[in-house]
Amino acid sequence: MELIRPNTRFDFIGKKKFTIWVSTIALLISLGSIFLHKGLKYGVDFAGGILIQIKFSQAVDISEIRNAMEAMGSKDAMVQKFGGENEFLIRVEKSAEDLEGMSKKIQTFLQERFKDKTLEIRRVEVVGPKVGKDLKTKALWAVGLSFAAILVFVAWRFKQISYGLGGIAALVNDIIITYGVISIANLEYSLSLMAVI
């Protein structure tokens, strides 16, 4: 099977002025969004806090859960629909309090408040602020070392360091634009998303 015919020619270099402008505009929009949002919206992995995934046996409105969290004094808790039907994620970003104790308190409160709806707690994650900082540092080291490895390999393979620098410049461009899309879409920046990038 022949997907590309022999002697096929694509004029990539001829389109370079157009693509440089497209890339520059995408970079500026991405950096602008990150700047306006004051950085990325870090998840519990990096910011520290509590994440609780719950599921009800009956239909529950999201406002009921928000009201319950407000009633127990967690006005800044984020509640969103997740996964299947009647399944929700609750995020509470805290840095100084006893997170383990607060997590148990939230679970007990919710189970009592929704005992008629058969509440199932499916996942609980507690991350302290020190762990979050440590993860950020390790993530930056991982990115830096991967760039260095690419530079060394490409320079060794093609016997020219400029190819390696060009490859890294292209990767940095792609990463910044990806972060821009994450910022524009207001997605949560978690460990799994960082690993993908």
Side-chain angles (χ1 to χ4, degrees):
M1 189 166 95
E2 200 175 72
L3 293 174
I4 300 171
R5 292 179 182 177
N7 303 318
T8 301
R9 297 283 182 269
F10 295 105
D11 185 19
F12 290 111
I13 302 302
K15 307 287 186 293
K16 74 176 180 182
K17 284 184 182 175
F18 171 74
T19 53
I20 285 170
W21 276 109
V22 169
S23 183
T24 304
I25 290 164
L27 271 173
L28 290 172
I29 291 169
S30 298
L31 291 170
S33 175
I34 293 166
F35 178 75
L36 287 172
H37 287 110
K38 295 178 184 158
L40 297 171
K41 183 172 129 187
Y42 288 112
V44 172
D45 297 332
F46 294 114
I50 302 161
L51 184 139
I52 302 171
Q53 183 183 340
I54 57 174
K55 186 172 183 179
F56 295 94
S57 60
Q58 299 169 39
V60 174
D61 194 78
I62 197 166
S63 61
E64 290 181 62
I65 303 165
R66 286 189 180 126
N67 292 338
M69 293 305 293
E70 277 184 37
M72 77 164 290
S74 295
K75 290 182 182 178
D76 58 342
M78 287 179 5
V79 183
Q80 66 184 79
K81 286 198 169 190
F82 180 82
E85 210 174 327
N86 304 323
E87 206 165 339
F88 302 89
L89 268 185
I90 300 168
R91 285 183 184 83
V92 181
E93 289 180 16
K94 293 282 177 193
S95 55
E97 286 187 42
D98 170 24
L99 294 174
E100 287 286 348
M102 192 176 176
S103 168
K104 284 173 185 162
K105 187 178 161 188
I106 291 169
Q107 291 174 63
T108 307
F109 182 83
L110 288 172
Q111 280 174 328
E112 282 183 22
R113 178 98 177 214
F114 296 103
K115 57 186 169 191
D116 57 324
K117 310 244 177 167
T118 321
L119 167 70
E120 179 196 346
I121 292 171
R122 309 195 98 182
R123 173 172 52 134
V124 178
E125 289 178 19
V126 178
V127 180
K130 285 183 182 175
V131 176
K133 272 187 181 176
D134 189 42
L135 288 170
K136 270 188 207 174
T137 306
K138 285 180 178 174
L140 288 169
W141 270 104
V143 170
L145 290 171
S146 65
F147 280 166
I150 291 166
L151 182 64
V152 169
F153 173 76
V154 174
W156 168 78
R157 174 66 182 82
F158 295 103
K159 309 289 186 256
Q160 264 192 311
I161 201 159
S162 61
Y163 289 170
L165 291 170
I168 287 173
L171 280 175
V172 170
N173 175 65
D174 294 347
I175 288 169
I176 292 170
I177 291 170
T178 306
Y179 280 141
V181 171
I182 291 166
S183 174
I184 290 163
N186 204 28
L187 295 174
E188 190 176 83
Y189 187 59
S190 61
L191 261 183
S192 53
L193 193 52
M194 187 218 76
V196 168
I197 290 166

